[in-house]
Amino acid sequence: MPRVAVVRFPGSNCDLDTLRAAEGVGADAYLVWHRDTDLRDADVVILPGGFSYGDYLRSGAIARFSPIMQAVQRHAAAGGPVLGICNGFQILCEADLLPGALLRNAGLSFVSKPVDVIVERPDTAFTCDYDSDCRLRLPVAHGDGRFVAAPDTLRMLEAEGRVVLRYVAATERSPFQPNPNGSANHIAGICNADGNVVGIMPHPERAADRLLGLTGGSGFFTSMVTLHQDS
Amino acid sequence: MVAGAVTDAVSLTGEPAVTPALVREHSLNEMEYARIVELLGRTPTFTELGVFSALWSEHCSYKHSRPVLKTFPTTGPHVVQGPGENAGVLRLPEGWAVAFKIESHNHPSAVEPYQGAATGVGGILRDVFTMGARPVALLNSLRFGPLEEPRNRYLFAGVVRGVGDYGNCVGVPTLGGEVNFAPGYSGNPLVNAMCVGLLRENELIRAAAQGVGNVLLVVGARTGRDGIHGASFASEELSEKSEARRPQVQVGDPFTEKLLLEASLELITSGLIVAIQDMGAAGLTSSSAEMAARGGVGVEIDTSLVPTREPDMTPYEILLSESQERMLIVAEPHRLPEIQSVCIRWELTATPIGHVTDDGVFRVRHDGQTVVAIPGQRLVDDCPVYLPEAKEGEEARSRRATVDPGAPVVDLEGALEMLLDHPNIASKRWVYEQYDSTVQASTVLPPGSDAGVIRVPGARFGLAMTIDCNSRLVSLDPYEGGKAAVAEAARNLACTGARPLGLTDCLNFGNPERPEVFFQFRESARGISDACRVFGTPVTGGNVSFYNESPRGAIDPTPTIGMVGLLSRVEDRVGSHFDSARDEVFIIGETSGILGGSAYWAEVCDFVGGDPPAVDLEAELQLQRFLVAAAEQRMLRSAHDCSEGGLAVTLAEAAMGGPYVPGSLGACLDLTGYAPDVPVDGVLYGEDGARAVVTCAPLQITRLIALANEHGVPVFHAGRVESAGTLELQVGAHLFSWSTDALRRIYSEAIPRRMQHTAVDRMAGE
């Protein structure tokens, strides 16, 4: 079973949910404190959602300087899988592990609701259990989730197929819940060039249990196990 | 020196002399001041005057409400902690317990909606985690004047944002609430916040200082000059001058709150501390004095040791500051190093500022001088208690006596659309999508359901919660309105399949010194008590908020009920919306067709009045038991309670479906035989309680009817759910038909449509 390190920053608030979801698929999951410098032989690193350092200054801007982030950088550089969820995605962008930035939602308000996304990259460590172009319903809950990048960067992300998750577009009378925050190209999640670092705004850990009404997120966690067993 | 004897303290140089004018400025009357002098055997020092002013404010002393609050039933075999602590606690299965409490933050929100609401959430979170409970849900009850006024839109938008930003950051899901708009709240909005926490029963901690020589520590944020006299501010009427109070509104820091939460729970579960209390209203003064009084001990505090945000703060300011995100902890001295290390890890400071003494005196020193020395028990207990005159107001009496509301402005079919478009009934999606409702990954029934339901990881049971009050009913008939508030809350819980366990109340009223206001207070409390006795749901604590008056007059009386309930098996929970086509639709309970106090009269006939239907508590209890039994036997596909707007609104809401379903269902129902003697408007829009609309699979019809008969609840088979999006109601010769997609559009757009101009409104609010 993979060893999954969930990094806990001051202000993280999805750390325990993420830990439970990883444990739920049998992973050997544990919390790592942001002041630690060692990931304790993690196979997979997850930066969970929340408001690290209260999102003061800018979402994720202070967390990137936490001591543990050097270890995360090394893990990523060595090809180790890293998943940033929500605030974790913001931290990965601030830490230059992923391109682009996440700005205030287009509607200027926090938005908490289920949205529909399409899996466009079913070959990462976190999506290999999904079929290509399958549609998932996942909750979002964020104030700063509008993905933006320079035009060149956006073109590169699209050309290299680095959009992992995409919100469905808002179309007249669509039965689906569309892009909630005005993200460029309806981007909900991307990966780095090597595909091992993934950042997503929706919360798969809140959609991994039949009792909670949504189950579409469990693939993110089973994928880690699948990949680990294959390797 | 013994408690009660004359004690010595000095005013510091530069402090004002204590004069009758200064006493009045501190909102103490002559009789109260005389009692202070008698109690001390001397003139109080300036700092002492501030201490009395805070602790003897209405907000802290409950001086106008205590005799009435004593009449609430507060006991039961499952009560672990009743009123008097930071929060009430009820026993749950499997070694768990639930701590919950509601509190108002009305006046701060009236002058500074964002921070007022945010710090209201912060305060109620601290009340719950200081019991050793991890907060697992927030709810709120918000009331504003009509959205047609820009100022009300500004307050509404600011309050919602403040509530959301705070709870979202701390990571506690907001699971439900109510929002209501009525002219009575223009100028004095209500912001009531409720928190629900879970703990292992054996890890409960109480806020009683114990152990002479034990150390008092202040943990968390530094003390600033914000919020000084907040408790007194909360205890007076709002006026044009209240705007100037804006600097007294505290500023919230949810990030520090989150750190405090984690550090406090770690300190409690590791057994490192003796007692802990939030520094809420009246800050260090009330937290230390109340902890000492509960423990029957004295305390000595050195205010010059308290970490402050700015230099040269006086003991008066330090004692009365309501700076947020601070805790007072009592601990054995040898535990200090371990406590410090926990706090440092959570990036907090823990500073010793005093100790527990054996002389029962509340003593404060500053730079070597004793500035406060008050017999502690008497400081907390000796505040005069008032039982004001109570007399029903003429206006309420004459409104209730009216039987003819005047002509409706639209026909009966259009009335449903009009009601669904009213912000009180319309979807609150605009509000709850600004609140994180799924963090903690335990939300089983989200906002938009009759009640919120969460699971508890590792446990079989589920916890349901709701917050309710129909203030129109209370204003017309406070006694029946009080009963109705409890009945509606219990019914909402039962619709999800949960058995009601107990409640916390937030009693929002005008100036209690006015007989018609005190009448509303006393009578609605009597109604609450009677309902609690019948339902077996004790009151475990709450909050009284008086003086909710603006130059336009008193608010509508609003005794908000926050209630929790237990689902023995969480997977038995029942949703509020129709589930599948061909399910059978039943109406449980009967109607008299009385329209007094109804939303139909208020909105469609533009008349608030009439005599509301009496609440049949026995029928309510039978309905609750039936709903819980039907859920446990897994008979139900949906259950939705009848309340504001009556049966037509209930059916429409159930048929329209949840906020994120791709399309609405419909239903084809014949109500002709449901209440044959009742006029059609009463059938559709009457608001008799003890009713719910339930659906079941066709195979369950016989069992469902048998179960209803067994519980003695009237059951009427009205028809079935249809896949076509049309709601058709036959009532005798009348046939009504609505497109549920069209209704849904009205229902979901009502609030967003009115809130399009908030950017402009913000300027109106400045």
Side-chain angles (χ1 to χ4, degrees):
Chain A
M1 279 294 149
R3 286 178 59 77
V4 177
V6 177
V7 180
R8 188 178 219 195
F9 298 94
S12 292
N13 62 29
C14 306
D15 42 349
L16 298 177
D17 311 350
T18 306
L19 186 80
R20 265 205 314 268
E23 286 171 347
V25 296
D28 179 10
Y30 52 93
L31 294 171
V32 174
W33 184 237
H34 76 121
R35 285 199 184 280
D36 293 347
T37 52
D38 181 6
L39 289 165
R40 303 188 340 238
D41 296 323
D43 297 305
V44 176
V45 176
I46 305 182
L47 308 186
F51 288 73
S52 58
Y53 292 95
D55 275 358
Y56 296 144
L57 185 57
R58 224 173 34 245
S59 301
I62 304 176
R64 66 172 286 206
F65 294 110
S66 279
I68 196 66
M69 285 307 291
Q70 289 182 20
V72 174
Q73 294 270 8
R74 283 195 301 275
H75 175 84
V82 179
L83 174 64
I85 302 170
C86 198
N87 191 226
F89 186 11
Q90 293 159 346
I91 295 168
L92 290 176
C93 290
E94 288 285 340
D96 288 331
L97 282 163
L98 290 173
L102 293 148
L103 302 186
R104 195 80 203 155
N105 294 344
L108 301 181
S109 293
F110 192 93
V111 56
S112 162
K113 64 179 196 175
V115 298
D116 293 300
V117 293
I118 298 160
V119 181
E120 298 198 357
R121 271 290 295 259
D123 63 340
T124 75
F126 306 102
T127 54
C128 61
D129 277 358
Y130 292 108
D131 294 330
S132 187
D133 292 331
C134 77
R135 200 185 296 272
L136 308 177
R137 178 162 282 197
L138 301 174
V140 292
H142 57 245
D144 300 327
R146 178 165 55 98
F147 182 79
V148 296
D152 287 353
T153 309
L154 275 178
R155 270 194 295 276
M156 174 191 71
L157 288 171
E158 296 289 358
E160 295 179 5
R162 285 165 57 185
V163 176
V164 177
L165 291 183
R166 204 186 296 272
Y167 303 114
V168 300
T171 50
E172 192 65 26
R173 304 193 74 82
S174 162
F176 300 108
Q177 295 295 319
N179 184 346
N181 53 35
S183 284
N185 296 10
H186 307 305
I187 287 172
I190 56 170
C191 62
N192 64 351
D194 293 333
N196 63 312
V197 178
V198 175
I200 56 173
M201 280 318 290
H203 287 277
E205 79 279 10
R206 303 184 191 179
D209 189 330
R210 194 183 49 80
L211 194 56
L212 307 186
L214 297 174
T215 52
S218 54
F220 280 84
F221 298 91
T222 58
S223 292
M224 297 176 213
V225 177
T226 303
L227 189 85
H228 187 73
Q229 284 164 346
D230 291 350
S231 60
Chain B
M1 191 177 294
V2 293
V6 177
T7 51
D8 275 325
V10 294
S11 282
L12 298 175
T13 40
E15 286 183 339
V18 175
T19 61
L22 190 71
V23 170
R24 271 196 305 280
E25 263 175 52
H26 281 74
S27 307
L28 292 162
N29 65 30
E30 275 175 40
M31 194 260 272
E32 289 163 347
Y33 182 69
R35 187 172 292 194
I36 292 168
V37 172
E38 178 265 327
L39 186 160
L40 291 171
R42 60 175 166 78
T43 305
T45 67
F46 175 61
T47 310
E48 286 172 335
L49 188 66
V51 166
F52 276 107
S53 156
L55 283 180
W56 288 15
S57 70
E58 184 66 46
H59 190 81
C60 290
S61 72
Y62 294 89
K63 56 190 169 189
H64 285 97
S65 59
R66 254 197 253 186
V68 170
L69 299 181
K70 282 205 175 108
T71 62
F72 284 142
T74 58
T75 55
H78 58 303
V79 176
V80 179
Q81 176 64 57
E85 268 287 343
N86 287 325
V89 181
L90 296 175
R91 184 170 298 119
L92 297 172
E94 301 167 53
W96 290 94
V98 55
F100 65 111
K101 172 88 176 286
I102 191 169
E103 204 155 273
S104 62
H105 232 216
N106 303 337
H107 285 188
S109 306
V111 298
E112 202 337 273
Y114 179 87
Q115 292 295 349
T119 52
V121 174
I124 200 65
L125 282 164
R126 290 192 295 282
D127 277 342
V128 164
F129 69 73
T130 47
M131 302 300 291
R134 177 169 286 276
V136 291
L138 288 163
L139 300 97
N140 55 71
S141 168
L142 312 177
R143 309 217 170 210
F144 306 90
L147 288 178
E148 283 63 37
E149 285 177 49
R151 168 92 188 164
N152 294 331
R153 293 198 294 267
Y154 157 77
L155 291 172
F156 175 44
V159 164
V160 168
R161 191 175 284 263
V163 166
D165 280 0
Y166 205 101
N168 296 346
C169 182
V170 179
V172 180
T174 299
L175 274 207
E178 51 163 14
V179 190
N180 186 280
F181 305 89
Y185 303 107
S186 278
N188 196 131
L190 299 185
V191 175
N192 294 176
M194 171 173 166
C195 180
V196 178
L198 278 169
L199 69 155
R200 301 299 297 172
E201 190 182 332
N202 58 15
E203 285 175 352
L204 175 69
I205 184 166
R206 293 184 170 86
Q210 280 163 357
V212 173
N214 280 347
V215 181
L216 268 61
L217 299 124
V218 49
V219 178
R222 287 173 168 267
T223 297
R225 290 193 165 101
D226 50 337
I228 291 173
H229 282 311
S232 317
F233 174 36
S235 308
E236 62 188 51
E237 293 172 22
L238 290 170
S239 67
E240 284 82 3
K241 285 182 291 186
S242 301
E243 263 316 275
R245 292 277 203 172
R246 197 184 295 227
Q248 283 178 11
V249 176
Q250 314 89 309
V251 175
D253 174 5
F255 171 59
T256 300
E257 178 96 344
K258 169 72 171 162
L259 302 178
L260 259 185
L261 187 169
E262 298 297 340
S264 299
L265 290 181
E266 190 171 331
L267 289 171
I268 293 166
T269 50
S270 56
L272 289 174
I273 60 177
V274 173
I276 180 168
Q277 180 158 351
D278 167 39
M279 293 196 199
L284 180 56
T285 298
S286 70
S287 53
S288 55
E290 286 171 11
M291 274 174 113
R294 282 197 202 104
V297 293
V299 289
E300 179 169 318
I301 290 168
D302 186 342
T303 40
S304 43
L305 298 177
V306 175
T308 56
R309 281 189 203 142
E310 38 204 319
D312 303 324
M313 281 182 67
T314 64
Y316 180 98
E317 291 169 327
I318 293 169
L319 282 171
L320 296 179
S321 162
E322 291 190 7
S323 290
Q324 297 287 291
E325 291 92 22
R326 298 179 302 157
M327 298 291 213
L328 188 67
I329 282 176
V330 181
E332 295 170 19
H334 70 275
R335 294 290 198 183
L336 283 186
E338 288 167 277
I339 292 170
Q340 298 278 14
S341 88
V342 169
C343 290
I344 287 167
R345 188 147 40 80
W346 289 106
E347 319 213 338
L348 297 166
T349 53
T351 312
I353 59 157
H355 57 273
V356 176
T357 61
D358 63 358
D359 63 0
V361 175
F362 179 71
R363 183 178 288 105
V364 179
R365 297 170 63 81
H366 193 82
D367 289 337
Q369 286 181 292
T370 300
V371 292
V372 173
I374 307 171
Q377 204 76 43
R378 298 190 65 187
L379 170 62
V380 173
D381 291 344
D382 277 17
C383 176
V385 172
Y386 302 97
L387 193 58
E389 185 194 346
K391 188 165 176 292
E392 177 161 38
E394 263 318 308
E395 203 204 331
R397 197 198 306 268
S398 76
R399 276 184 179 278
R400 198 174 55 237
T402 308
V403 289
D404 177 18
V409 297
V410 292
D411 62 16
L412 287 171
E413 203 160 273
L416 178 59
E417 290 162 15
M418 199 170 168
L419 288 171
L420 293 178
D421 183 54
H422 194 278
N424 288 359
I425 293 177
S427 167
K428 305 303 184 292
R429 189 172 160 179
W430 185 90
V431 177
Y432 62 70
E433 283 190 349
Q434 296 188 52
Y435 305 150
D436 193 338
S437 54
T438 50
V439 65
Q440 300 196 8
S442 292
T443 302
V444 176
L445 287 182
S449 316
D450 277 23
V453 173
I454 57 162
R455 66 164 172 188
V456 181
R460 268 163 58 97
F461 67 87
L463 198 60
M465 56 204 76
T466 183
I467 196 164
D468 293 289
C469 175
N470 183 332
S471 50
R472 187 164 49 232
L473 301 180
V474 185
S475 69
L476 290 170
D477 186 336
Y479 172 69
E480 291 294 335
K483 281 162 63 184
V486 179
E488 185 181 351
R491 207 160 61 225
N492 277 325
L493 296 175
C495 278
T496 69
R499 182 166 56 82
L501 291 180
L503 64 87
T504 175
D505 53 17
C506 199
L507 308 173
N508 306 273
F509 292 85
N511 180 344
E513 296 158 56
R514 297 200 297 140
E516 66 274 25
V517 171
F518 199 75
F519 177 83
Q520 294 170 333
F521 173 69
R522 194 193 66 193
E523 288 304 293
S524 61
R526 191 164 67 84
I528 291 169
S529 286
D530 283 358
C532 285
R533 285 200 183 85
V534 172
F535 298 165
T537 52
V539 178
T540 64
N543 171 237
V544 180
S545 174
F546 282 137
Y547 302 99
N548 289 294
E549 305 223 359
S550 70
R552 304 194 202 187
I555 57 157
D556 293 343
T558 312
T560 310
I561 302 298
M563 205 169 205
V564 296
L566 176 71
L567 275 143
S568 306
R569 283 183 313 224
V570 64
E571 64 268 24
D572 292 348
R573 54 59 177 96
V574 178
S576 337
H577 305 107
F578 289 164
D579 183 78
S580 319
R582 290 187 298 282
D583 281 354
E584 302 291 336
V585 180
F586 291 85
I587 302 164
I588 312 295
E590 287 171 332
T591 184
S592 64
I594 291 174
L595 284 164
S598 67
Y600 177 75
W601 273 17
E603 309 308 336
V604 182
C605 305
D606 196 20
F607 175 71
V608 176
D611 199 0
V615 178
D616 182 342
L617 294 173
E618 286 301 331
E620 294 280 359
L621 181 63
Q622 283 163 345
L623 175 73
Q624 292 163 28
R625 288 180 172 163
F626 162 76
L627 288 166
V628 172
E632 285 178 349
Q633 296 176 34
R634 303 195 178 182
M635 278 180 207
L636 301 181
R637 283 276 178 72
S638 75
H640 186 26
D641 96 301
C642 270
S643 51
E644 202 175 5
L647 185 58
V649 166
T650 305
L651 290 168
E653 286 178 335
M656 287 185 287
Y660 308 110
V661 295
S664 299
L665 292 165
C668 189
L669 307 175
D670 186 349
L671 304 180
T672 306
Y674 171 56
D677 303 330
V678 170
V680 185
D681 55 356
V683 173
L684 295 179
Y685 301 114
E687 296 183 13
D688 277 288
R691 289 190 300 161
V693 169
V694 306
T695 56
C696 70
L699 283 174
Q700 300 282 357
I701 294 177
T702 322
R703 281 181 73 206
L704 188 98
I705 293 171
L707 188 72
N709 291 337
E710 198 182 302
H711 282 82
V713 294
V715 55
F716 178 77
H717 188 181
R720 53 168 37 176
V721 179
E722 303 284 348
S723 56
T726 308
L727 177 62
E728 270 187 22
L729 300 182
Q730 181 86 46
V731 190
H734 303 266
L735 177 66
F736 303 97
S737 178
W738 297 272
S739 151
T740 45
D741 276 332
L743 293 180
R744 185 186 164 102
R745 221 164 299 129
I746 293 169
Y747 184 70
S748 53
E749 284 305 309
I751 291 178
R753 181 163 58 77
R754 289 169 171 87
M755 293 304 289
Q756 279 166 4
H757 309 293
T758 42
V760 181
D761 299 337
R762 203 160 299 147
M763 290 155 67
E766 298 292 304

